[in-house]
Amino acid sequence: MDQLGSDMLVEPPELEENKDVAIISPDDPTEDGEQEPEIRADSFEEMAAKFMPENPDLETDIETYDTWHIQGWRSMTRRERGPVFECGEHKWRILFFPYGNNVDCASMYLEQGFEEKPSDDWYACVQFMLVMWNPNDPTIYLTHTANHRFTAEESDWGFTRFAELRKLFTNSFENKDRPMVEEDSVMVTAYVRILKDPTGVLWHNFINYDSKKETGMVGLKNQGATCYLNSLLQSLYFTNAFRKAVYQIPTEQEADRTNSAYALQRLFYRLQKDPVVVSTNELTASFGWESKQVFEQQDVQELSRKLMEKLEERMKGTSAENALAKMFVGKMKTYISCINVNYESSRMEDFWDIQLNVRNNKSLDDSFKDYIQVETMDGENKYFAEGFGLQDAKKGVIFEVFPQVLHLQLKRFEYDFERDALMKINERFEFPEVFDATPYLDEKADKSEPYTYRLHSVLVHSGDLNAGHYYAFIKPTKDSGYYRFDDDRVTRSTKKEALDDNFGGEYPTQNGTNGVRNPYTNRLSTKKSNNAYMLVYIRESRQDDIFLTAEDVEPPPHLERKLVEERLALEKKRKEREEAHLYMNVQVATEDNFRSHQGFDIVQWNADQATPQAPRTYKILRTTTLKDFTEHVAEQMAINPDFCRPWVMVNRQNGTVRPDQPLTYPSMTVEEAAQKYSTKNSIFRIWMETTGADEEGKPKWGELATPTDPQPNNRQIVLFLKHFDAEKQSLYGVGHIYIGWQQKVAELAPLILDIMGWPTNSCTLKLHEEIKQNMIEPMKAKISLAASEIQDGDIICFQRVLSEKEAGNIQASGGYADAREFYDYLLNKVVISFRHRTAPEENEKTFFPLVLSKRMTYDQVAARVGEHLSEPPDHIRFYTVNSTNGRPKAAVKRVPTATLANILQPGYGGYATSQNTSNTELYFEVLELSLAEIETRKNLKVTWLTEGVQKEEVFDLLVPKQGTIQDLILLLQKRVNAATNQVDATNNSTSPHVNGNGTTPGQIISDDDLANIRVYEVHNNRIFREFDPTATVAHLNEYLQLYAERIPEEEVQARKKNDIADGGLSLEEDQRDRLIMAIHFDKETSKAHGVPFVFLVKQGEVFSDTKERISKRTGLKGKQLEKIKFAVVPRSMYMKPTYVEDDEILSEKMNANDEMLGLDHRNTKVSSYNRNESIFIR
């Protein structure tokens, strides 16, 4: 035994959850004083049966017991080992610490007894018991039991606190009249039961567990809460025909990470080829998911449907077209069949999966029987059959065809109306390994091929609604056993673990316990929280078509090629990282960079590498000499290395980077030069000076003063020259010069004229020193450079002195006549992208960039934008941009003193800088009124509804603050008609057409229509109130959700005939036709969505006719309408809706005048701000 650590400690008995230690329990109480016969420790079979009973879930391989007679206890060493005994092919012995293993207790362990350390893959799953007993009185004994997986690394296991030493030697042990250890002698019996391990992971600690090695398969990494996604993906992956169909999607030309089909191909390839756990990050990123989505558990059924829909779109027009439908789509018939006459109304529907009720059903067959249960329509509930009148009928659903792969969704989560919450159903629900679906088919269905199905996958949820975990049991091949796929871990599994253990139901009661603690909620529960929520069956006769061979499911060649390339690139990067300490980066600036750079300093070190002003970065060995490095750079510049000289660049205290001194030691390494001369920076920066040849053909460096120079200390310094061209409005470097440090500033002029090629005395120059970005100082001509504090690497900016007329012309055209002004412009220059707030398409008038100054005021910016658009500046309003999603934020308030910097960053210069406001973009709109006039108006957003409620067009209306709803309607009329006329002018056609917002020419609001326009306010997708035209708008704010529509003609006519019930009267008091509110909801009435509307309910109208009017009222038609279930919805959003069938009468189903009509259908327009309501795939 190599270690005696915490793995051998016996925890206190109260920690019942520790499975690796023994629990000492008192003898069971006897009933009515009857004495059970006392068991003796030397009755070995009886002891094993009582204290180490067999686990019915585990199969015994072999078992034995062996007794060690310990004598001379007090003379023993600290550690003793008992005799070796065998159990099957394994050898065992007792490891004994008579004085305790660092505790005041005798310590005892079971240890493997091989003479040499067993092989690394050796293990034995052992249930064992150690019994200490008095050889003179075997009724005195002490037992401890434990389970352990013995391995080469964990070769011993047992009980550090087997028994307290002081109690063992007392004269009375456990109320007996003699001690346990008597005359330094005691017996210890080891009971060893070796168990079979069909899964290979019984009591495994999973340290260094290799799924690929053990099972040949790999798992998927959990990103946070994506275990539900992992379980579904593994099930689909091992549906080999599905994997083949995914591989057949052509993605070679669209190998983009945002392509979900391509990302799924990559994932499947890695599951097929990689030796380690595979990440789903690429796939979820292609879905458009962010951290919010990966940390939220979603509905697996909805995810499966969305994924299938997306893949179906990608498969159209390819060899895989309809492959998914052939695998997963079945057909069912919804029917109403008359009993006494030959009439049936039916509708055939496709299904991708079947949702089965778990509540009140004990098995899969019970759920199918419940699903196809026939309802008899008789008495007051008779069916109106066309041509036959009211008839007794049978109503139900029957299956016509089941698919090859049958996905069954078990409704484990249901809304509990008593608790007013979504709850998980943990009731027992059995499902078979072989399922016959024939009884649930229509009598007329084709049954020539058996509809016998074999279980393929069991997707399991463990936990409750708020906390839990998903995993799957899957048969990877037709003839294989089950495997458990639990995120990154794949293990073999038994049939019982895959099926029986996931039926749910009650835990077996044990000794009056209060249940089992759920590991995810940490709560005690009497019901099993791990149960199946999705089953996948494969038709037995089509198994060969689904379980394709590996040769039939080969990934496309381009996929393998791409992934190999990426792997090689990653390997290259890894190697570079490993060797990174051998290399360093050196940035080299040249005179060409200086001449191409318009801005501050000598060059822009972080410029785009594709631009000519960007210095080049070289990755070189740290041991490279300056001589070799200079030759390498010279070769890249295509010049003689003798005419190149490197200067070290240093960071000055004022924030600039300038040359400091030439590097004149050719044998010095680059690393040594950086450490000795450079600023402590992450990158070594060099200016590579180049020069011409003198008369002898040697490099001409201007480093020293001439020996005859009358001025002492007149060393030469290097200066950089920039030319500000006022006419071209440009500021570029022109080169560098050498000049004596004691020479006067005026002596720069001849050198500048020479370098520019200007004739002598052709112009007067004005000189400035560029000290730093915001410090450009004029230079005095008569003082020396030394007195002006000029040094190596300083920048001198020069410009030609302009006449007043020349300067005036430049300024009149918006230019700058002075270099300092131009420097200030460069400092504050910003390129702003302007985008029209509502225009549907981009052109030069709706999206354009402008170069502006941060010091411009609102009016100056508006003037520039107005000039570009040819619009009055005072009619232009700006909006800042949310840098996170690119959407417009609040309108910018026009403040005369505010600058562009204040607009882009509201807290600019203060403490309230907005962190998510873009500083390079603005939205704009051109208003009908000037900004001054707008201050007297209220901005209200109104959605104009057309084509029922299907088309929406949003208008921002500027209503007088003291105006009325009628004023709002008049403004809406003007805007709608203007939009319609614009479409007419664009299309130049009299045929119906639709603009970008859905307005058609036939939807002009005429003056006669004004009296029949309804305006109403909506909160949470429910109508809050309808406005009277005379109501004022003063109390309305701009964030209200307002809708406007034409009142339907049937409602207009009913109003004229005074045939509409008074809403304030009950249904009994006023039995005329009634206006009610209508809402859309998704399964639960609390999940309202879409546009609510007002609907006219007619007395006595059969609902099949009502549906036709609903279709006309809403614009919902065809399949879109067929998918909707209709219900009477109470005003309270938490009360249960009452669903309405076609043969029923809506007015009779209503019980109160405040009830609403509900349209139950899926929400297909989920807001990106509320994605947790519904899953999505981009």
Side-chain angles (χ1 to χ4, degrees):
M1 192 195 77
D2 297 321
Q3 57 181 8
L4 300 172
S6 60
D7 56 341
M8 301 178 191
L9 296 177
V10 176
E11 299 294 340
E14 62 268 16
L15 298 179
E16 295 182 2
E17 294 179 333
N18 192 329
K19 297 179 181 179
D20 296 327
V21 299
I23 309 302
I24 304 174
S25 303
D27 292 337
D28 294 333
T30 58
E31 295 181 8
D32 302 326
E34 294 181 8
Q35 291 283 341
E36 287 187 3
E38 193 170 17
I39 298 177
R40 292 167 53 95
D42 55 358
S43 300
F44 301 114
E45 286 79 8
E46 291 183 36
M47 288 289 290
K50 180 174 177 63
F51 296 107
M52 197 175 75
E54 292 191 26
N55 187 329
D57 294 334
L58 300 174
E59 186 178 355
T60 300
D61 183 18
I62 193 168
E63 59 183 321
T64 191
Y65 57 86
D66 186 79
T67 301
W68 175 23
H69 188 181
I70 297 174
Q71 294 176 303
W73 182 307
R74 289 184 174 87
S75 62
M76 283 182 164
T77 62
R78 179 178 175 272
R79 179 189 307 191
E80 297 285 343
R81 286 183 168 89
V84 174
F85 62 94
E86 293 186 0
C87 184
E89 298 178 355
H90 307 286
K91 294 183 177 182
W92 306 95
R93 63 188 171 195
I94 295 172
L95 174 63
F96 180 42
F97 290 79
Y99 313 112
N101 184 11
N102 299 318
V103 291
D104 293 331
C105 298
S107 304
M108 201 170 297
Y109 310 89
L110 181 67
E111 179 185 49
Q112 59 86 3
F114 295 104
E115 293 181 4
E116 297 181 0
K117 184 178 179 181
S119 61
D120 291 340
D121 58 355
W122 174 85
Y123 77 93
C125 296
V126 181
Q127 182 182 10
F128 67 95
M129 175 171 66
L130 300 180
V131 181
M132 180 182 288
W133 51 285
N134 187 316
N136 302 315
D137 184 356
T139 63
I140 301 174
Y141 55 82
L142 182 64
T143 68
H144 283 289
T145 60
N147 305 322
H148 185 60
R149 183 186 186 91
F150 287 84
T151 65
E153 295 299 323
E154 289 188 348
S155 59
D156 51 67
W157 198 260
F159 316 99
T160 302
R161 299 177 182 274
F162 188 87
E164 290 186 51
L165 290 170
R166 62 181 180 82
K167 290 184 178 180
L168 293 175
F169 292 92
T170 56
N171 292 329
S172 175
F173 181 81
E174 299 288 339
N175 299 321
K176 297 287 186 175
D177 58 358
R178 59 199 311 165
M180 171 67 80
V181 181
E182 196 169 24
E183 298 177 353
D184 264 6
S185 174
V186 75
M187 307 291 277
V188 177
T189 302
Y191 295 78
V192 177
R193 179 180 295 137
I194 297 178
L195 302 170
K196 293 182 179 180
D197 182 18
T199 66
V201 292
L202 179 62
W203 304 325
H204 204 300
N205 61 15
F206 293 104
I207 296 174
N208 299 322
Y209 180 79
D210 187 336
S211 294
K212 188 75 170 184
K213 177 183 176 182
E214 300 296 333
T215 66
M217 295 166 284
V218 296
L220 293 168
K221 191 175 294 183
N222 191 335
Q223 296 184 50
T226 55
C227 47
Y228 71 97
L229 171 67
N230 293 348
S231 57
L232 176 64
L233 288 173
Q234 292 282 20
S235 175
L236 293 174
Y237 170 79
F238 286 107
T239 307
N240 294 356
F242 175 83
R243 193 194 327 164
K244 180 179 180 180
V246 170
Y247 281 156
Q248 288 176 330
I249 300 173
T251 57
E252 187 169 8
Q253 304 303 320
E254 302 176 62
D256 185 351
R257 297 293 177 88
T258 61
N259 181 343
S260 54
Y262 176 61
L264 188 59
Q265 286 181 343
R266 291 170 62 93
L267 180 78
F268 281 179
Y269 176 87
R270 286 184 165 144
L271 283 173
Q272 197 166 340
K273 304 288 186 180
D274 281 10
V276 295
V277 62
V278 176
S279 170
T280 58
N281 287 34
E282 283 186 3
L283 183 65
T284 55
S286 74
F287 290 170
W289 293 3
E290 298 174 355
S291 58
K292 177 183 178 183
Q293 282 74 40
V294 299
F295 282 99
E296 282 181 351
Q297 289 185 350
Q298 302 284 355
D299 180 57
V300 174
Q301 180 191 20
E302 189 175 6
L303 172 64
S304 176
R305 287 183 180 179
K306 294 276 187 184
L307 184 60
M308 295 293 183
E309 288 172 9
K310 190 61 65 175
L311 293 174
E312 280 266 281
E313 291 175 13
R314 301 287 306 177
M315 290 178 179
K316 286 181 181 177
T318 73
S319 58
E321 186 170 5
N322 295 324
L324 299 187
K326 290 176 184 176
M327 261 185 284
F328 298 105
V329 173
K331 292 185 180 295
M332 67 170 69
K333 181 175 75 173
T334 304
Y335 66 89
I336 300 178
S337 178
C338 293
I339 297 173
N340 301 316
V341 297
N342 186 23
Y343 182 88
E344 181 179 285
S345 172
S346 64
R347 182 177 68 208
M348 200 74 71
E349 295 181 56
D350 291 343
F351 67 87
W352 288 79
D353 51 45
I354 304 172
Q355 279 192 302
L356 297 173
N357 288 324
V358 172
R359 191 186 295 276
N360 300 326
N361 291 303
K362 295 182 178 180
S363 68
L364 189 63
D365 281 305
D366 287 348
S367 282
F368 266 97
K369 290 173 185 176
D370 176 58
Y371 199 94
I372 65 169
Q373 185 176 6
V374 177
E375 176 188 351
T376 301
M377 304 174 68
D378 56 10
E380 295 182 355
N381 195 30
K382 285 186 177 182
Y383 174 67
F384 182 83
E386 189 174 350
F388 296 95
L390 293 173
Q391 295 287 331
D392 293 341
K394 293 182 178 180
K395 175 185 176 182
V397 173
I398 195 70
F399 293 97
E400 295 290 329
V401 178
F402 284 109
Q404 298 177 29
V405 182
L406 182 60
H407 278 194
L408 303 177
Q409 305 287 342
L410 306 184
K411 295 169 71 174
R412 286 284 182 186
F413 297 96
E414 283 192 359
Y415 190 79
D416 189 320
F417 289 96
E418 292 182 4
R419 292 186 175 94
D420 191 19
L422 197 65
M423 303 293 291
K424 185 181 179 187
I425 301 171
N426 290 315
E427 308 297 334
R428 184 174 178 83
F429 183 89
E430 298 181 7
F431 49 90
E433 189 171 25
V434 179
F435 169 63
D436 184 9
T438 308
Y440 314 111
L441 285 167
D442 192 349
E443 293 178 356
K444 300 177 182 178
D446 181 6
K447 303 172 187 174
S448 57
E449 184 179 341
Y451 278 95
T452 304
Y453 286 82
R454 287 199 168 270
L455 187 63
H456 171 252
S457 306
V458 181
L459 278 64
V460 179
H461 177 266
S462 178
D464 63 13
L465 179 68
N466 300 312
H469 180 58
Y470 293 82
Y471 49 92
F473 293 91
I474 301 172
K475 288 182 69 173
T477 64
K478 180 174 70 172
D479 301 317
S480 73
Y482 292 96
Y483 288 79
R484 174 170 170 155
F485 292 81
D486 191 348
D487 287 337
D488 55 351
R489 187 184 299 156
V490 184
T491 57
R492 289 193 296 274
S493 176
T494 64
K495 178 181 173 182
K496 178 181 180 298
E497 288 173 334
L499 278 76
D500 300 41
D501 288 354
N502 297 306
F503 289 162
E506 303 279 343
Y507 284 109
T509 51
Q510 298 178 347
N511 300 327
T513 57
N514 294 324
V516 176
R517 192 171 299 280
N518 187 315
Y520 303 103
T521 63
N522 203 31
R523 296 176 183 170
L524 288 172
S525 174
T526 59
K527 291 187 176 180
K528 298 178 181 178
S529 68
N530 57 298
N531 35 56
Y533 70 94
M534 178 175 170
L535 305 173
V536 180
Y537 284 91
I538 295 177
R539 196 172 181 181
E540 192 171 47
S541 58
R542 300 297 181 93
Q543 286 190 98
D544 291 336
D545 298 333
I546 303 301
F547 288 113
L548 301 172
T549 63
E551 293 76 19
D552 293 328
V553 197
E554 278 298 310
H558 79 272
L559 187 64
E560 187 169 9
R561 188 168 58 250
K562 179 71 174 175
L563 286 166
V564 168
E565 290 173 1
E566 290 178 6
R567 195 174 294 116
L568 291 174
L570 285 173
E571 180 62 23
K572 183 180 177 182
K573 286 185 178 179
R574 183 194 63 78
K575 187 175 180 181
E576 287 176 352
R577 283 196 301 270
E578 290 177 353
E579 298 177 350
H581 65 286
L582 302 175
Y583 290 85
M584 63 182 292
N585 289 331
V586 181
Q587 268 188 303
V588 178
T590 66
E591 198 141 302
D592 288 340
N593 301 141
F594 178 55
R595 291 193 180 104
S596 302
H597 173 56
Q598 175 166 268
F600 301 97
D601 225 331
I602 293 174
V603 292
Q604 183 181 351
W605 294 100
N606 60 350
D608 184 353
Q609 289 295 306
T611 58
Q613 67 265 31
R616 183 169 177 177
T617 301
Y618 294 85
K619 183 180 179 182
I620 60 169
L621 284 168
R622 295 176 179 271
T623 55
T624 304
T625 63
L626 288 172
K627 179 178 181 296
D628 292 340
F629 177 67
T630 303
E631 289 175 353
H632 177 65
V633 174
E635 183 181 353
Q636 300 297 316
M637 297 171 64
I639 60 175
N640 189 332
D642 293 337
F643 294 86
C644 295
R645 181 170 65 174
W647 285 65
V648 63
M649 305 288 285
V650 297
N651 294 346
R652 293 186 177 178
Q653 290 184 347
N654 61 12
T656 60
V657 182
R658 304 290 174 84
D660 184 59
Q661 59 179 302
L663 299 171
T664 56
Y665 301 97
S667 61
M668 180 181 284
T669 67
V670 174
E671 182 178 32
E672 289 170 343
Q675 291 174 349
K676 186 172 183 180
Y677 300 113
S678 178
T679 307
K680 302 304 178 187
N681 199 343
S682 59
I683 192 167
F684 185 29
R685 289 171 175 164
I686 282 177
W687 172 54
M688 190 62 72
E689 180 187 12
T690 57
T691 188
D694 60 14
E695 295 175 354
E696 298 178 2
K698 295 181 179 179
K700 184 172 58 177
W701 306 112
E703 353 182 322
L704 299 173
T706 59
T708 58
D709 195 327
Q711 296 179 325
N713 198 25
N714 193 25
R715 64 180 181 84
Q716 288 195 312
I717 59 174
V718 62
L719 301 178
F720 289 82
L721 300 177
K722 285 185 179 180
H723 173 220
F724 170 56
D725 190 333
E727 293 180 355
K728 295 181 180 179
Q729 292 291 288
S730 64
L731 177 68
Y732 288 102
V734 296
H736 70 284
I737 60 171
Y738 283 90
I739 188 172
W741 191 39
Q742 297 297 336
Q743 291 180 254
K744 294 189 179 342
V745 172
E747 295 181 62
L748 285 169
L751 298 175
I752 292 172
L753 293 174
D754 181 60
I755 203 170
M756 295 298 294
W758 293 342
T760 305
N761 299 324
S762 61
C763 62
T764 304
L765 299 177
K766 183 190 295 185
L767 304 182
H768 297 88
E769 181 191 359
E770 180 188 317
I771 300 173
K772 58 181 181 179
Q773 286 188 353
N774 58 351
M775 188 178 291
I776 314 298
E777 298 293 339
M779 300 183 71
K780 296 179 181 180
K782 295 182 180 181
I783 64 174
S784 68
L785 296 173
S788 299
E789 299 182 354
I790 301 297
Q791 58 180 319
D792 277 317
D794 282 352
I795 299 173
I796 307 300
C797 173
F798 64 91
Q799 71 171 106
R800 190 169 59 85
V801 175
L802 303 174
S803 66
E804 290 186 10
K805 181 178 180 181
E806 289 174 324
N809 291 336
I810 290 171
Q811 291 170 342
S813 62
Y816 301 92
D818 185 77
R820 284 179 297 178
E821 294 176 351
F822 192 75
Y823 268 110
D824 183 72
Y825 160 72
L826 291 179
L827 180 62
N828 293 285
K829 183 179 74 169
V830 61
V831 179
I832 302 296
S833 296
F834 290 91
R835 186 186 299 274
H836 196 283
R837 196 168 74 93
T838 58
E841 59 183 38
E842 293 184 1
N843 55 50
E844 62 180 10
K845 294 293 186 181
T846 61
F847 180 68
F848 53 89
L850 290 179
V851 179
L852 306 173
S853 170
K854 292 180 183 177
R855 293 192 176 186
M856 284 183 169
T857 64
Y858 186 106
D859 292 342
Q860 289 173 322
V861 175
R864 289 291 302 278
V865 174
E867 180 184 358
H868 180 86
L869 298 173
S870 301
E871 296 285 357
D874 60 347
H875 284 236
I876 296 174
R877 180 160 59 187
F878 300 111
Y879 295 81
T880 53
V881 181
N882 187 315
S883 58
T884 304
N885 54 33
R887 293 180 176 147
K889 298 175 74 174
V892 176
K893 189 174 181 180
R894 178 177 170 270
V895 178
T897 58
T899 64
L900 180 58
N902 301 136
I903 293 171
L904 294 172
Q905 294 291 342
Y908 183 76
Y911 298 99
T913 302
S914 177
Q915 296 297 319
N916 64 343
T917 301
S918 172
N919 58 5
T920 60
E921 297 174 287
L922 284 174
Y923 278 94
F924 74 92
E925 65 178 342
V926 181
L927 305 171
E928 296 178 7
L929 305 174
S930 69
L931 293 172
E933 291 179 90
I934 286 176
E935 292 180 2
T936 66
R937 306 234 174 181
K938 180 184 288 287
N939 184 40
L940 296 175
K941 190 187 297 292
V942 179
T943 302
W944 172 241
L945 300 174
T946 56
E947 295 186 21
V949 293
Q950 292 301 294
K951 296 291 184 180
E952 302 176 30
E953 186 174 8
V954 179
F955 293 100
D956 283 313
L957 303 179
L958 294 167
V959 186
K961 290 182 178 179
Q962 303 305 318
T964 64
I965 294 296
Q966 187 62 36
D967 294 326
L968 180 147
I969 293 172
L970 291 171
L971 286 169
L972 179 66
Q973 177 193 29
K974 183 178 179 181
R975 291 289 299 278
V976 170
N977 293 351
T980 305
N981 292 333
Q982 184 179 1
V983 174
D984 285 335
T986 302
N987 291 290
N988 194 23
S989 169
T990 57
S991 61
H993 42 264
V994 181
N995 70 359
N997 290 316
T999 304
T1000 65
Q1003 293 165 349
I1004 287 177
I1005 302 176
S1006 67
D1007 291 342
D1008 294 337
D1009 293 332
L1010 293 176
N1012 295 321
I1013 300 296
R1014 173 188 286 124
V1015 179
Y1016 57 96
E1017 180 184 345
V1018 171
H1019 286 185
N1020 299 322
N1021 302 97
R1022 296 166 180 252
I1023 296 177
F1024 178 67
R1025 58 180 165 180
E1026 183 178 336
F1027 293 102
D1028 187 277
T1030 60
T1032 63
V1033 300
H1035 62 289
L1036 303 181
N1037 66 61
E1038 60 181 306
Y1039 301 107
L1040 290 181
Q1041 194 170 10
L1042 301 178
Y1043 285 88
E1045 65 168 354
R1046 283 190 181 83
I1047 297 175
E1049 184 61 27
E1050 64 176 3
E1051 184 181 334
V1052 173
Q1053 295 304 321
R1055 288 178 184 275
K1056 288 181 179 179
K1057 297 176 183 178
N1058 195 26
D1059 197 19
I1060 295 180
D1062 185 342
L1065 298 177
S1066 68
L1067 302 179
E1068 293 76 17
E1069 291 172 329
D1070 194 335
Q1071 298 186 5
R1072 290 177 293 175
D1073 295 347
R1074 183 174 294 272
L1075 291 174
I1076 65 170
M1077 308 300 181
I1079 65 167
H1080 305 262
F1081 67 97
D1082 188 351
K1083 298 178 184 176
E1084 299 172 25
T1085 57
S1086 59
K1087 294 182 178 179
H1089 61 88
V1091 181
F1093 58 94
V1094 177
F1095 183 68
L1096 181 65
V1097 177
K1098 294 187 176 182
Q1099 293 292 324
E1101 183 181 56
V1102 178
F1103 195 69
S1104 57
D1105 296 333
T1106 306
K1107 279 173 63 175
E1108 292 182 11
R1109 291 196 303 111
I1110 293 173
S1111 174
K1112 185 177 180 181
R1113 173 72 178 89
T1114 61
L1116 295 165
K1117 301 175 183 177
K1119 288 186 177 181
Q1120 196 177 11
L1121 184 66
E1122 290 175 6
K1123 293 179 180 178
I1124 299 175
K1125 293 188 289 185
F1126 297 88
V1128 174
V1129 178
R1131 197 67 179 180
S1132 169
M1133 67 176 64
Y1134 298 108
M1135 293 182 68
K1136 187 176 180 180
T1138 303
Y1139 285 89
V1140 185
E1141 302 297 337
D1142 285 359
D1143 57 331
E1144 295 179 315
I1145 296 172
L1146 179 60
S1147 60
E1148 295 178 1
K1149 298 282 286 188
M1150 299 181 66
N1151 298 313
N1153 60 358
D1154 64 347
E1155 289 180 320
M1156 299 178 289
L1157 173 64
L1159 285 68
D1160 182 358
H1161 58 107
R1162 182 170 296 182
N1163 181 8
T1164 58
K1165 297 180 180 179
V1166 180
S1167 166
S1168 60
Y1169 293 108
N1170 199 20
R1171 285 178 178 166
N1172 60 319
E1173 289 294 323
S1174 178
I1175 203 166
F1176 69 95
I1177 297 178
R1178 178 167 54 193

